[in-house]
Amino acid sequence: MYVDPPAPKPRGRDEVPPVPTGPLDNPQRAWAFNPDYQRLIVAWNTVMPQLDTLRTALDRAYDLARSPQTWDAPVGKRYVEDIREWRTRLAVYRHSVLTAISDEAADTPRWIPTESNAPHAFQ
């Protein structure tokens, strides 16, 4: 069983843009929450319920197929093995999709500098 990678964090209610830390940073720079990062949050939130629905459906079918009341023939064993393989494939697929989103979010800055709303002298 795989452990889900960390999800991209949505913008907090009290979260503020970065503060200039060094003498070379422009203290009047305006920042915006990165729309690419927001798209990754939306992608994660869209994919998770769908993957959970698929997993729940396969788990329920697997539990029913394993029950001795469901099957009384050798074909039942093959059916259970098929469902087990589908569950494994779904787990691998889930891990790869969520890892791709998580890795992309780790490489994407949450805040980006913008020129709008930035004060400029001599406009």
Side-chain angles (χ1 to χ4, degrees):
M1 193 50 124
Y2 296 101
V3 175
D4 289 343
K9 283 189 339 182
R11 181 178 177 186
R13 182 176 292 194
D14 297 330
E15 185 176 355
V16 294
V19 179
T21 57
L24 299 178
D25 291 338
N26 183 356
Q28 297 179 348
R29 166 141 310 168
W31 294 87
F33 196 73
N34 192 344
D36 292 335
Y37 194 88
Q38 183 63 38
R39 283 196 267 300
L40 292 170
I41 295 169
V42 170
W44 182 281
N45 292 335
T46 303
V47 166
M48 281 299 290
Q50 296 171 355
L51 291 172
D52 289 339
T53 301
L54 287 171
R55 184 180 62 193
T56 302
L58 279 177
D59 288 347
R60 187 174 48 207
Y62 182 72
D63 291 339
L64 287 172
R66 287 182 42 209
S67 171
Q69 289 83 18
T70 305
W71 295 102
D72 192 18
V75 72
K77 185 176 181 180
R78 288 194 308 251
Y79 187 64
V80 170
E81 290 172 3
D82 286 346
I83 296 176
R84 185 181 305 128
E85 177 62 29
W86 297 337
R87 289 174 68 207
T88 303
R89 287 181 184 182
L90 180 62
V92 170
Y93 177 74
R94 174 188 177 105
H95 184 70
S96 65
V97 168
L98 295 180
T99 299
I101 294 172
S102 181
D103 288 350
E104 187 67 26
D107 294 339
T108 304
R110 290 176 55 82
W111 294 91
I112 55 174
T114 181
E115 296 298 323
S116 63
N117 297 333
H120 296 286
F122 311 111
Q123 279 197 13

